[in-house]
Amino acid sequence: MIEQLKTWDRELFVYLNGLGAKGFDLFWIGVTQEEIWIPLYLLFIILIFLRFKIKRDKIVAYAGFLASFVVVFGLTRLIKATIKRLRPNNVESLQDIIRILQEPTYYSFVSGHTSSSVALSTFMVLLLQDRSKWIYLVYIWPALFAYSRIYVGVHYPSDIVAGAILGFICAYIIYKICKRYFSQEERGYFSD
């Protein structure tokens, strides 16, 4: 069963990676760079500042935002070092049949780009969902970020899915912890 799942994962990766076209390469290479998303990080920081009136609540929210990244980053590195799955671009049998636009050498499972972007997006959605229904649009970021990792040839779909699950779970737990430390007034705004 595990071997069949690995085969399907590999086949889906080859298919999705093969959808790429030279005319879109620069776009997807740009999307996969963390630096291009700095304006979004700054927007998140501003939204937290505007969202909370009480200084203590702002501090708790910023701490949770930072913790969402730090915890998921640490867990991602730990999982990668434990599983030690080679990236598709480093698998010799795939090198002639896939498009490789980046060549990182560190391990593949789980996707750090996906886990961190899902964690930060989920934390922001949980903070703002009761006041801003548009906040769900931030999930466009991890979706683009995740697909870019397949497009450039460095992650299997299972790396992406596992990273998304890890990011969501970490953000949800950290949000629940933060919620306990918000002021009484603020806790009344949040739904469960």
Side-chain angles (χ1 to χ4, degrees):
M1 180 66 174
I2 297 294
E3 288 307 313
Q4 183 61 53
L5 291 174
K6 286 182 181 179
T7 299
W8 289 339
D9 193 31
R10 179 180 177 228
E11 289 172 358
L12 182 58
F13 165 75
V14 170
Y15 173 76
L16 292 172
N17 175 264
L19 294 176
K22 283 192 182 286
F24 294 103
D25 288 355
L26 286 178
F27 171 78
W28 288 107
I29 289 170
V31 167
T32 205
Q33 302 302 315
E34 294 95 343
E35 302 83 27
I36 199 167
W37 298 102
I38 289 173
L40 184 62
Y41 306 144
L42 294 174
L43 176 63
F44 287 166
I45 290 167
I46 292 167
L47 287 174
I48 289 172
F49 181 81
L50 295 174
R51 162 65 176 82
F52 295 98
K53 294 176 179 69
I54 301 169
K55 184 178 180 181
R56 172 182 149 189
D57 294 334
K58 289 180 190 208
I59 292 169
V60 170
Y62 285 130
F65 183 76
L66 182 60
S68 293
F69 176 77
V70 170
V71 169
V72 84
F73 180 83
L75 287 173
T76 297
R77 298 300 267 185
L78 179 65
I79 293 168
K80 284 179 187 261
T82 302
I83 303 293
K84 297 182 179 179
R85 182 183 197 187
L86 288 179
R87 290 180 182 269
N89 63 290
N90 294 319
V91 175
E92 197 171 313
S93 64
L94 291 176
Q95 290 179 348
D96 291 335
I97 60 173
I98 65 171
R99 304 175 78 249
I100 300 173
L101 303 177
Q102 286 189 335
E103 298 189 30
T105 55
Y106 198 64
Y107 300 115
S108 179
F109 187 86
V110 299
S111 169
H113 283 69
T114 304
S115 62
S116 60
S117 61
V118 168
L120 293 176
S121 295
T122 298
F123 189 78
M124 292 304 297
V125 165
L126 292 169
L127 280 183
L128 300 174
Q129 67 184 339
D130 290 344
R131 299 212 178 164
S132 306
K133 296 303 178 196
W134 63 265
I135 194 64
Y136 289 96
L137 291 175
V138 301
Y139 282 121
I140 293 170
W141 167 44
L144 289 171
F145 217 20
Y147 179 70
S148 75
R149 306 306 286 161
I150 294 171
Y151 188 97
V152 299
V154 299
H155 277 297
Y156 295 100
S158 61
D159 301 338
I160 303 299
V161 171
I165 292 168
L166 177 66
F168 181 84
I169 290 170
C170 287
Y172 184 79
I173 291 169
I174 290 167
Y175 165 76
K176 287 295 190 180
I177 292 168
C178 287
K179 191 173 170 184
R180 294 179 182 177
Y181 293 97
F182 285 126
S183 66
Q184 187 68 30
E185 174 189 336
E186 194 58 49
R187 279 183 285 197
Y189 286 112
F190 293 110
S191 62
D192 285 320

